[in-house]
Amino acid sequence: MAISVSSSCRNPTSPYKSFSSSLYLPRIPFKFEKYQYGCSDFKPASISCVMTRESAIQVEEMEKKWNNFQRPDSFGRFGKFGGKYVPETLMHALAELESAFLSLSVDEEFQKELDGILRDYVGRESPLYFAERLTEEYKRPNGEGPHIYLKREDLNHTGAHKINNAVAQALLAKRLGKKRIIAETGAGQHGVATATVCARFGLQCIIYMGAQDMERQALNVFRIKLLGAEVRAVSSGTATLKDATSEAIRDWVTNVESTHYILGSVAGPHPYPMMVRDFHAVIGKETRKQAMEKWGGMPDVLVACVGGGSNAMGLFHEFVNDADVRLIGVEAAGFGLDSGRHAATLTKGDVGVLHGAMSYLLQDDDGQIVEPHSISAGFQESISIGGHNTSFGDISCIRLFGEIMPNTAKWI
Amino acid sequence: MAIALKTTSFLQTRKSQSHFLRLSAPTFTVSFKSRTVMATLSIAPAVGLSETFSRLKQQGKVALIPFITAGDPDLSTTAEALKVLDSCGSDIIELGVPYSDPLADGPVIQAAATRALARGTDFNSIIFMLKEVVPQLSCPVALFTYYNPILKRGTEKFMSIVKDAGVRGLVVPDVPLEETEVLRTEAAKNNIELVLLTTPTTPIDRMKAIVEASEGFVYLVSSVGVTGTRSSVSSRVESLLREIKEKTAKPVAVGFGISKPEHVKQIAGWGADGVIVGSAMVKLLGEAKSPEDGLKELGTFTKSLKAALP
């Protein structure tokens, strides 16, 4: 879910001023009726946030850099990030996928079919909901404050934004003549979305899930199986999302001729980050239209949580060239950024290669990939963040905050 | 070494001749000795991958290239295993650096990597071990590693460290051809040959570019998949070998799935210049009752493979 905030919160001074005085960093505690983890001595916690990779880039310099930036270039790179770091066996399949995607993105019949499915099956457009009480909560004593709107991707079929990408890739796979679909999943949301679309289109579906994640998310495992998909437990390595992704890639290497791999985020080898971004771009496009309808203008600030980055990219991509719109991504800081137990990849990671792409990763001194920590299995995805987000992070048009939220499963 | 003798001085003074000869003999001997001393002191075997293949070709032989994972069951067993493999007929040895997310590896090598990492095997300790063991080997060692550990150290630094350990070759399975230039440049500066892989799904034009860029030898992946023993070798290997040999005179070694003397014989019969055997070796070492048993079985197995090769 993403927040877009309208004009009354605009900071008249430099947009790159520190956010410590910002309205959305309250000192009041959040109260959650829903899920409380380890709640026996639950104390309402104050939120503390840390800005990441601050650099003194001026607006003009940023714009100049951004305009010369191809996203991605012909090698699938976003600046120095991205690329195709996979075994040679997959290279031809990736080239085939890229050329199919590029030709279908200008194919009117395909776009019409996809739009129809997004409308009638997924349930788009998702509402842009004015959060009245949240807005009230953050009003300053003088009555000014942000108008907070929530883009309700949770109201899509299967309960998240994941289905936008899953449904489009399933259609693409059908066009390529593939009958077997594989996917990785962490919390299970992408697994459920993939199993759902495979049931819809009559495709064989195999979902790889870390054995540890399967225990934590047994309900989603049940849903996936109910939809007729096979769930394969991955016990190698840390038995979590990163190992499920590695195993899915290995399956793809072995069955590349018959199988399409529906990658769930803007990660992985080119053309996946580009494809997944473009399939989720509908979120941002709708937001622009709805903002115009609701308050006759553009959002001032867009905020999105960042696991792998798909939901953030879906919202931000539409507004990347709008210098007046501030883009804020939020990563999970777990037990604190200095604790070593967090999921703040962009804040604390180093540049490296994982699952086919160059990105910021959580890794040790030997270059071995480290498991992130988060209460929510879904935040496991942030071991490496999609090339877009990392290239954004380097140019500093995105401000990332580590948010420490003990004892709560979701921060919104 | 040629010694030119002036015939006049040789004939004229016999005393001086014998004196000359006595003088020249120790000179000759000393030079020879110093050369031998240099050879044992040198931290790299004199022979690289290409040279090994040239020598074998002249002898009409096919290279046996075993692969083992460093640190499984532990580094001291790996050190012994390298010596066993060397003495039992290996021509080149591939040593795998254990990695947390090995995309190109099947369950056997994955498990070996996990065990090695759990024991605390890291890059520095592998290099330390190699510095001691490589001078004792007669065949060259090539490292098999994924890209991230190289990036973490920086390509320049990584190559220099690996060179100091006496390694002569490098295989990096998750770097595509387009990204290999930097690796190749740095490797070449350090006398390391960067081997590239081609697979059954690689289109012919791309295969041509790969074989042109590959150094040491061309690694032909025998099947569409990850590492792991298979019951038989795909018949596609024969036609792939033929296609590659039309495009290059470089030696071609076939790997992935090869686990029995029959496989090795079949592939050699199809014209391969080398065969790479990985998971079968790793399994032997990893599943043995004890490291000593594992090393013994490794030796027997290596000899049986070597016997099946010309």
Side-chain angles (χ1 to χ4, degrees):
Chain A
M1 205 185 313
I3 305 179
S4 57
V5 184
S6 71
S7 57
S8 56
C9 87
R10 186 192 297 240
N11 185 337
T13 57
S14 161
Y16 303 104
K17 195 176 163 187
S18 161
F19 271 73
S20 55
S21 56
S22 162
L23 289 161
Y24 13 42
L25 305 176
R27 284 182 296 279
I28 53 156
F30 276 86
K31 288 190 183 110
F32 287 83
E33 275 92 38
K34 265 171 34 180
Y35 177 95
Q36 285 190 354
Y37 179 88
C39 59
S40 51
D41 49 350
F42 176 70
K43 291 191 187 91
S46 62
I47 317 297
S48 64
C49 295
V50 167
M51 204 133 67
T52 182
R53 303 192 196 279
E54 184 71 57
S55 68
I57 289 188
Q58 299 305 311
V59 179
E60 310 81 52
E61 206 184 302
M62 183 216 80
E63 272 176 5
K64 201 166 75 178
K65 226 173 171 179
W66 197 247
N67 290 336
N68 294 334
F69 213 57
Q70 258 187 303
R71 299 177 304 125
D73 65 13
S74 54
F75 289 122
R77 307 203 78 102
F78 299 83
K80 70 180 176 198
F81 301 106
K84 288 188 204 182
Y85 294 93
V86 287
E88 175 59 31
T89 312
L90 289 179
M91 294 301 287
H92 180 63
L94 290 173
E96 222 178 36
L97 192 56
E98 184 182 354
S99 99
F101 170 73
L102 291 173
S103 81
L104 287 175
S105 47
V106 295
D107 181 326
E108 275 187 31
E109 206 191 298
F110 179 84
Q111 293 304 321
K112 207 167 145 196
E113 191 182 357
L114 182 57
D115 288 343
I117 293 171
L118 287 174
R119 187 184 55 242
D120 299 328
Y121 183 69
V122 174
R124 299 208 73 92
E125 294 171 352
S126 58
L128 188 65
Y129 169 73
F130 176 61
E132 196 183 327
R133 295 188 67 222
L134 213 50
T135 300
E136 196 58 44
E137 190 70 26
Y138 294 114
K139 264 205 175 115
R140 284 182 283 243
N142 63 4
E144 282 178 7
H147 294 179
I148 301 177
Y149 288 78
L150 306 178
K151 182 64 173 149
R152 301 297 305 276
E153 289 299 297
D154 58 307
L155 292 178
N156 294 336
H157 184 29
T158 69
H161 67 289
K162 296 288 187 188
I163 197 160
N164 301 329
N165 168 56
V167 92
Q169 283 205 44
L171 262 186
L172 178 62
K174 282 205 87 172
R175 290 292 183 116
L176 287 170
K178 306 281 168 119
K179 298 211 163 36
R180 183 176 177 269
I181 302 292
I182 59 175
E184 85 293 349
T185 195
Q189 211 58 42
H190 175 62
V192 168
T194 306
T196 306
V197 306
C198 287
R200 160 75 180 74
F201 290 108
L203 299 164
Q204 183 193 7
C205 180
I206 292 152
I207 305 291
Y208 286 96
M209 196 168 177
Q212 250 198 69
D213 288 336
M214 283 176 73
E215 274 179 35
R216 288 191 278 205
Q217 300 288 334
L219 184 58
N220 276 338
V221 174
F222 179 69
R223 280 168 85 189
I224 293 169
K225 288 179 178 170
L226 210 57
L227 290 156
E230 181 191 338
V231 181
R232 290 192 185 169
V234 178
S235 310
S236 57
T238 57
T240 54
L241 176 60
K242 78 165 176 80
D243 310 286
T245 310
S246 298
E247 197 57 34
I249 293 177
R250 287 183 204 110
D251 182 315
W252 203 32
V253 169
T254 311
N255 299 295
V256 65
E257 283 151 346
S258 64
T259 302
H260 177 66
Y261 174 25
I262 297 188
L263 229 165
S265 194
V266 285
H270 179 68
Y272 280 103
M274 174 180 77
M275 271 176 22
V276 177
R277 172 197 73 188
D278 287 355
F279 289 145
H280 280 306
V282 61
I283 303 174
K285 289 192 186 112
E286 284 177 8
T287 303
R288 186 191 283 280
K289 177 171 149 283
Q290 288 162 324
M292 194 54 73
E293 281 165 5
K294 289 200 179 322
W295 66 82
M298 293 233 288
D300 296 290
V301 184
L302 297 174
V303 183
C305 56
V306 179
S310 59
N311 129 76
M313 277 322 299
L315 182 64
F316 295 164
H317 184 54
E318 175 69 17
F319 297 95
V320 141
N321 292 320
D322 293 299
D324 291 338
V325 179
R326 293 186 327 228
L327 311 176
I328 300 175
V330 185
E331 296 189 295
F335 284 97
L337 292 176
D338 296 322
S339 69
R341 295 182 65 198
H342 57 77
T345 315
L346 281 174
T347 317
K348 284 298 216 174
D350 296 311
V351 176
V353 161
L354 179 65
H355 299 147
M358 188 171 295
S359 179
Y360 282 107
L361 311 177
L362 296 179
Q363 53 185 300
D364 70 13
D365 291 333
D366 230 25
Q368 307 290 349
I369 310 304
V370 161
E371 196 193 339
H373 170 83
S374 169
I375 269 171
S376 165
F379 281 44
Q380 295 288 339
E381 289 181 67
S382 59
I383 291 182
S384 103
I385 302 240
H388 311 74
N389 304 67
T390 49
S391 61
F392 279 168
D394 259 18
I395 290 189
S396 300
C397 47
I398 202 174
R399 288 289 175 264
L400 290 173
F401 294 84
E403 187 152 317
I404 302 167
M405 296 279 290
N407 298 333
T408 50
K410 292 191 194 318
W411 68 283
I412 192 149
Chain B
M1 196 193 315
I3 306 171
L5 297 170
K6 266 194 177 165
T7 49
T8 46
S9 59
F10 193 167
L11 288 167
Q12 270 169 16
T13 48
R14 284 169 75 196
K15 243 187 182 177
S16 56
Q17 174 208 340
S18 57
H19 179 64
F20 180 87
L21 282 172
R22 270 205 301 277
L23 279 176
S24 61
T27 314
F28 178 80
T29 315
V30 165
S31 318
F32 181 76
K33 263 197 188 147
S34 67
R35 205 179 155 183
T36 319
V37 165
M38 269 166 60
T40 43
L41 277 182
S42 113
I43 50 176
V47 183
L49 308 186
S50 315
E51 291 155 304
T52 304
F53 274 104
S54 307
R55 172 180 54 84
L56 289 168
K57 191 164 181 181
Q58 276 177 8
Q59 298 166 350
K61 291 188 173 169
V62 173
L64 176 62
I65 308 175
F67 166 100
I68 53 171
T69 301
D72 181 47
D74 53 57
L75 273 175
S76 55
T77 309
T78 304
E80 289 310 307
L82 289 172
K83 294 178 206 166
V84 165
L85 288 169
D86 184 42
S87 63
C88 291
S90 305
D91 298 295
I92 294 170
I93 303 175
E94 256 190 66
L95 186 64
V97 176
Y99 181 54
S100 54
D101 291 82
L103 292 186
D105 286 312
V108 171
I109 298 180
Q110 278 176 53
T114 307
R115 285 191 297 263
L117 289 172
R119 278 200 76 104
T121 311
D122 62 11
F123 184 68
N124 291 341
S125 53
I126 297 173
I127 294 295
F128 187 75
M129 179 272 291
L130 284 173
K131 280 185 172 164
E132 279 191 28
V133 176
V134 167
Q136 301 174 50
L137 304 175
S138 63
C139 67
V141 170
L143 272 191
F144 184 106
T145 176
Y146 287 84
Y147 195 31
N148 201 51
I150 300 179
L151 265 186
K152 182 71 185 176
R153 275 172 184 79
T155 307
E156 225 180 290
K157 193 163 175 219
F158 178 90
M159 295 296 179
S160 149
I161 294 172
V162 151
K163 171 199 167 193
D164 287 343
V167 168
R168 296 302 302 268
L170 190 63
V171 184
V172 190
D174 60 347
V175 173
L177 173 67
E178 296 81 355
E179 309 283 354
T180 52
E181 215 182 305
V182 172
L183 273 180
R184 198 168 22 257
T185 314
E186 292 303 324
K189 282 186 202 165
N190 290 280
N191 221 4
I192 294 167
E193 289 166 295
L194 182 67
V195 175
L196 300 184
L197 296 93
T198 180
T199 73
T201 58
T202 308
I204 294 207
D205 287 341
R206 189 177 167 84
M207 179 268 278
K208 189 161 175 251
I210 291 172
V211 303
E212 266 168 42
S214 188
E215 296 166 350
F217 62 92
V218 174
Y219 194 136
L220 171 59
V221 175
S222 69
S223 50
V224 178
V226 295
T227 62
T229 58
R230 289 157 172 88
S231 54
S232 61
V233 183
S234 163
S235 51
R236 275 164 96 175
V237 172
E238 195 182 357
S239 52
L240 286 165
L241 269 170
R242 206 174 23 244
E243 275 171 19
I244 297 174
K245 285 188 167 283
E246 278 168 20
K247 302 277 183 250
T248 184
K250 289 181 191 170
V252 183
V254 182
F256 282 44
I258 302 165
S259 55
K260 298 180 188 157
E262 301 85 73
H263 297 164
V264 147
K265 194 169 178 188
Q266 193 177 31
I267 294 173
W270 286 336
D273 303 291
V275 279
I276 301 162
V277 180
S279 298
M281 301 268 177
V282 172
K283 205 167 172 189
L284 268 181
L285 269 181
E287 290 178 6
K289 289 191 213 74
S290 70
E292 294 74 34
D293 274 344
L295 289 168
K296 212 166 147 199
E297 284 170 39
L298 193 72
T300 315
F301 183 56
T302 309
K303 285 181 184 159
S304 73
L305 293 174
K306 188 67 179 176
L309 283 174

